[in-house]
């Protein structure tokens, strides 16, 4: 016979979870989620309830569920199940054992409303303000890079691919809403080049590896989009206390160099090897020094992908932007926790 858990049993289990290091409890102590409420309510445009019916769940509660989902790379259905199952999730959300939990459909609708309202940039900026208020200011320059996020592969005919590249909806899809809803018309194929590894005999192959990849860039452009052109699309932060910009050779172009000079930035972008000529020794040394700094951004991408296992399950660039934006917010929250702990122990 199984004993029904009592109030003190639950409290004892929660205390044990705290002792084991509950990351969500640390989130609750460090991040003031109420700062997101104005942006959430503006995006959702909730009614005043005068029309009757079941009231919506609190928007801050729903946003915290998105944080849980992103931290653990969960589907909507799995998120619903685990909120009902895990005491640590309930505590983070402020829910008791008898409280109603949003179901998967409610979570999908909430995220979809935020997505269609384009709310993610405002939410990201809101937490950025929190970081600045806590004394974490952008200093010492900035590093620019891109990474790829996978999306489900599409099985399209050559004619359909041609229509998609031209920005058209294939004729056979136009009257089939179900097919349209499952076809990602924005993700693209690209080649991801990987340096060839040294062989057992010590030789290095003369050609690098080219891996076909389907998906999005981290700034939610399709994977085939040029990295370099993104530099001039608002990626550089003028509030940084230093003017240096580090990036790899993909960002090296006359247009970008002129843009940075006019905007008051100092280019630390790596130089490309001259065509059919050896790289001058002084440029090699300069690139090596820049690479030491520039490569640090790879740790950010690696951390995000290993922690959230991010994969774009949704269809379309608008929803991909929401998913990627949430991953960025959650990364900044985790980084905030780390820095606060570091300062507390100093």
């Amino acid at each position: 016979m199984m004993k029904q858990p009592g109030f003190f049993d639950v409290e004892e289990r929660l205390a044990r979870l705290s002792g084991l290091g509950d990351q969500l409890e640390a989130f609750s102590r460090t991040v003031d989620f109420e700062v997101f409420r104005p942006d959430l309510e503006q995006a959702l445009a909730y009614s005043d309830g005068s029309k009757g019916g079941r009231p919506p769940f609190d928007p801050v509660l729903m946003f915290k569920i998105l944080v849980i989902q992103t931290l653990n790379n969960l589907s909507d259905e799995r998120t619903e199940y685990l909120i009902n199952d895990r005491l640590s999730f309930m505590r983070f959300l402020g829910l008791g054992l008898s409280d109603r939990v949003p179901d998967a459909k409610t979570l999908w609708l909430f995220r979809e409303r935020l997505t269609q309202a384009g709310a993610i940039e405002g939410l990201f900026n809101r937490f950025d303000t929190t970081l600045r208020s806590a004394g974490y200011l952008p200093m010492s320059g900035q590093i620019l890079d891109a990474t790829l996020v996978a999306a489900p592969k599409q099985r399209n005919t050559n004619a359909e691919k041609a229509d998609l590249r031209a920005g058209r909806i294939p004729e056979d899809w136009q009257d089939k809403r179900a097919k349209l809803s499952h076809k990602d018309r924005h993700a693209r194929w690209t080649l991801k080049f990987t340096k060839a590894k040294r062989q057992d005999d010590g030789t290095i192959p003369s050609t690098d590896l080219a891996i076909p990849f389907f998906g999005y860039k981290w700034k939610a452009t399709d994977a085939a989009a040029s990295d370099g052109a993104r530099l001039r699309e608002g990626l550089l932060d003028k509030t940084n206390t230093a003017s240096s910009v580090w990036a790899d050779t993909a960002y090296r172009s006359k247009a970008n160099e002129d843009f940075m000079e006019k905007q008051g930035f100092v280019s630390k972008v790596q130089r490309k090897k001259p065509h059919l000529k050896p790289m001058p020794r002084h440029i090699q040394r300069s690139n090596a020094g820049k690479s030491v700094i520039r490569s640090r951004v790879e740790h950010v991408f690696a951390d995000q992908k290993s922690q959230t296992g991010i994969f774009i399950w949704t269809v379309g660039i608008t929803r991909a932007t929401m998913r990627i934006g949430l991953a960025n917010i959650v990364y900044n929250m985790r980084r905030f926790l780390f820095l606060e702990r570091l300062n507390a122990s100093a």
Side-chain angles (χ1 to χ4, degrees), residues 71-340:
L71 266 173
N72 297 279
N73 192 29
L74 303 173
S75 67
D76 294 340
E77 290 74 17
R78 187 66 178 163
T79 303
E80 177 189 353
Y81 174 81
L82 288 176
I83 292 172
N84 281 283
D85 182 63
R86 290 191 181 178
L87 288 174
S88 60
F89 284 15
M90 292 183 195
R91 173 166 63 182
F92 177 62
L93 298 173
L95 295 174
L97 291 175
S98 60
D99 289 329
R100 190 162 58 97
V101 173
D103 60 22
K105 182 65 174 178
T106 301
L107 178 56
W108 183 90
L109 288 171
F110 175 79
R111 190 177 56 250
E112 189 71 3
R113 289 177 71 179
L114 291 184
T115 300
Q116 298 308 321
I120 192 63
E121 185 173 354
L123 293 169
F124 181 90
N125 291 336
R126 179 68 65 179
F127 190 64
D128 190 55
T129 300
T130 296
L131 292 175
R132 291 168 188 264
S133 298
Y136 299 106
L137 303 176
M139 302 175 69
S140 304
Q142 50 201 303
I143 307 171
L144 199 62
D145 203 358
T147 193
L148 296 165
V149 182
K153 296 180 177 64
Q154 306 289 294
R155 309 298 179 188
N156 301 324
T157 66
N158 289 335
E160 289 169 341
K161 291 175 184 176
D163 282 336
L164 293 173
R165 282 194 295 268
R168 299 187 299 267
I169 298 176
E171 186 176 349
D172 291 344
W173 299 6
Q174 293 178 12
D175 297 324
K176 299 177 182 177
R177 295 188 63 182
K179 190 165 188 173
L180 274 174
S181 67
H182 289 90
K183 285 290 188 179
D184 195 323
R185 306 194 301 275
H186 303 114
R188 291 291 183 271
W189 283 98
T190 190
L191 287 176
K192 181 179 181 180
F193 290 94
T194 301
K195 291 291 183 184
K197 295 182 179 179
R198 188 179 297 275
Q199 301 298 300
D200 292 339
D201 61 3
T203 61
I204 299 177
S206 59
T207 56
D208 293 334
L209 301 176
I211 304 170
F213 190 94
F214 184 80
Y216 294 94
K217 294 284 178 63
W218 210 236
K219 186 187 174 285
T221 67
D222 65 77
S226 166
D227 294 352
R230 307 284 83 79
L231 181 144
R232 306 188 299 277
E233 296 179 358
L235 289 185
L236 299 181
D237 183 4
K238 289 187 175 181
T239 67
N240 198 295
T241 59
S243 56
S244 297
V245 176
W246 283 269
D248 63 27
T249 56
Y251 296 88
R252 189 90 192 185
S253 69
K254 187 177 186 308
N256 283 348
E257 295 299 306
D258 290 345
F259 175 83
M260 285 188 282
E261 185 178 0
K262 289 178 182 177
Q263 297 294 320
F265 294 106
V266 176
S267 173
K268 300 289 185 179
V269 180
Q270 289 185 279
R271 291 183 178 276
K272 299 178 182 178
K273 178 182 174 297
H275 184 57
L276 300 179
K277 294 181 180 179
M279 179 74 84
R281 184 62 61 87
H282 70 282
I283 294 181
Q284 284 184 13
R285 289 195 295 267
S286 175
N287 278 352
K290 293 172 182 175
S291 185
V292 171
I293 296 173
R294 183 195 61 77
S295 62
R296 293 174 188 169
V297 73
E298 297 293 345
H299 300 295
V300 177
F301 294 145
D303 181 273
Q304 285 176 297
K305 290 180 179 181
S306 64
Q307 173 71 22
T308 66
I310 191 166
F311 181 91
I312 302 300
W313 294 103
T314 54
V315 173
I317 198 166
T318 306
R319 292 180 182 132
T321 300
M322 184 70 186
R323 290 281 188 177
I324 290 170
L326 282 169
N328 289 335
I329 292 174
V330 169
Y331 173 83
N332 283 351
M333 288 180 178
R334 290 177 52 240
R335 191 67 180 170
F336 184 37
L337 259 66
F338 171 77
L339 293 172
E340 290 289 273

